């Protein structure tokens, strides 16, 4: 087993679970975090002692500090941080949106991410490690109802570039992965469990899978230390750039 350790947030499903699995299969140890202890325990049961589960809400900065302070010695030296935890809530346009959902996305996708990153930076600098932030093509290409979600992912992409600049000379690499249409629990969460909406969205599209992003993350993490991937935009072949919206007034 490798001595390298990855710290993966949002490891209870989707990209995070697939990433944790890929790294353990590759010989790394993984600190797997999330809010659902039953799922974290199931991941540990499946992958064994190479996984150390940490259950906390990334919006709680005190919980972040306590969880990191309590890491056992065998999981304390972090070589890779994968900031994957995040969510999209609601499909309404801004004028009809629930601001409580906006607040939850901001607190999770941005504040939680920056607080955790700041807490782990000393360890990552010490190991000359890497940070991989999971952003989205929504950071670049707007879509109706994507308002605050897209804004939070734009923050993640820009924060990644800012980190890269601040960490210049430290040996720490920083990457923003920006996936397009991907089939995970994303749409179920966004639509409050509407399975039909999820099925309709993905039908016939051959979307990105969790394993696809796990493979991309693995590749980036294992590049020679003199190489940095700044941004990696990934779309399924079935998806391309959307056209501009055009509204026509009915003058009849």
């Amino acid at each position: 087993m490798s001595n390298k350790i990855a710290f993966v947030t949002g490891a209870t499903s989707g990209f995070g679970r697939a990433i944790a699995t890929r790294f353990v299969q590759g010989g790394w140890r993984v600190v797997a975090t999330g809010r659902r202890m039953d799922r974290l325990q199931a991941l540990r049961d499946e992958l064994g002692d190479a996984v150390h589960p940490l259950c906390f809400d990334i919006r709680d900065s005190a919980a972040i500090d306590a969880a990191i302070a309590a890491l056992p010695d065998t999981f304390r030296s972090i070589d890779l941080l994968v900031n994957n935890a995040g969510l999209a809530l609601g499909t309404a346009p801004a004028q009809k949106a629930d601001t409580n959902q906006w607040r939850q996305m901001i607190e999770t996708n941005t504040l939680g991410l920056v607080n955790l990153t700041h807490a782990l930076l000393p360890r990552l600098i010490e190991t000359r490690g890497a940070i991989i932030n999971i952003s989205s093509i929504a950071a670049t290409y707007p879509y109706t109802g994507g308002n605050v979600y897209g804004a939070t992912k734009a923050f993640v992409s820009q924060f990644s570039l800012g980190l890269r600049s601040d960490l210049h000379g430290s040996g720490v690499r920083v990457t923003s992965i920006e996936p397009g249409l991907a089939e995970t629990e994303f749409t179920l969460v966004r639509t409050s469990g509407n399975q039909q909406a999820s099925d309709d969205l993905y039908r016939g599209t051959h979307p990105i899978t969790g394993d696809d992003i796990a493979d991309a993350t693995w590749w980036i993490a294992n590049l020679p230390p003199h190489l940095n991937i700044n941004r990696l935009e990934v779309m399924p072949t079935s998806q391309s750039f959307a056209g501009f919206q055009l509204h026509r007034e009915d003058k009849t």
Side-chain angles (χ1 to χ4, degrees):
M1 182 177 293
S2 168
N3 289 324
K4 289 190 173 183
I5 299 169
F7 193 108
V8 182
T9 68
T12 57
S13 65
F15 293 160
R17 195 182 200 284
I19 291 167
T21 301
R22 180 67 182 86
F23 276 78
V24 170
Q25 290 173 343
W28 288 45
R29 284 171 287 161
V30 172
V31 178
T33 83
R35 293 180 299 165
R36 294 171 285 191
M37 190 61 203
D38 58 332
R39 293 198 179 191
L40 291 173
Q41 188 58 53
L43 186 65
R44 188 181 187 282
D45 291 344
E46 177 184 335
L47 300 176
D49 292 341
V51 172
H52 179 72
L54 281 182
C55 186
F56 62 85
D57 189 330
I58 199 169
R59 294 175 294 174
D60 186 338
S61 59
I64 288 174
D65 292 340
I68 293 173
L71 282 171
D73 290 343
T74 52
F75 285 90
R76 294 184 70 83
S77 181
I78 307 300
D79 299 280
L80 170 68
L81 168 60
V82 181
N83 278 314
N84 166 72
L87 75 169
L89 295 173
T91 60
Q95 64 271 29
K96 297 181 180 179
D98 180 346
T99 55
N100 289 320
Q101 292 182 332
W102 281 7
R103 186 175 296 107
Q104 186 175 349
M105 285 187 282
I106 292 167
E107 291 176 351
T108 303
N109 300 356
T110 63
L111 292 178
L113 182 147
V114 299
N115 286 336
L116 178 62
T117 301
H118 188 265
L120 287 178
L121 276 176
R123 298 170 192 238
L124 290 162
I125 292 170
E126 183 178 344
T127 61
R128 298 177 69 88
I131 300 167
I132 298 177
N133 295 323
I134 306 299
S135 181
S136 168
I137 63 167
T140 305
Y141 312 109
Y143 61 90
T144 301
N147 37 67
V148 166
Y149 173 72
T152 63
K153 290 303 183 178
F155 178 95
V156 171
S157 295
Q158 187 63 31
F159 181 61
S160 301
L161 296 175
L163 277 176
R164 176 88 172 95
S165 178
D166 287 348
L167 293 167
H168 181 76
S170 70
V172 178
R173 297 179 292 169
V174 185
T175 300
S176 172
I177 299 181
E178 301 170 5
L181 184 70
E183 186 167 11
T184 62
E185 292 184 358
F186 177 89
T187 300
L188 287 175
V189 172
R190 187 174 181 231
T191 61
S192 301
N194 188 333
Q195 185 64 54
Q196 187 61 53
S198 179
D199 293 343
D200 289 345
L201 175 63
Y202 298 120
R203 185 176 294 110
T205 62
H206 301 289
I208 294 169
T209 68
D211 288 340
D212 294 329
I213 299 303
D215 286 342
T217 305
W218 173 258
W219 170 68
I220 292 167
N222 287 282
L223 286 170
H226 69 285
L227 297 178
N228 190 92
I229 305 299
N230 297 326
R231 302 177 77 161
L232 180 64
E233 184 179 286
V234 185
M235 288 185 182
T237 306
S238 61
Q239 186 180 37
S240 60
F241 310 109
F244 287 107
Q245 294 172 294
L246 184 64
H247 171 71
R248 298 184 187 277
E249 294 184 1
D250 184 359
K251 296 185 177 181
T252 57

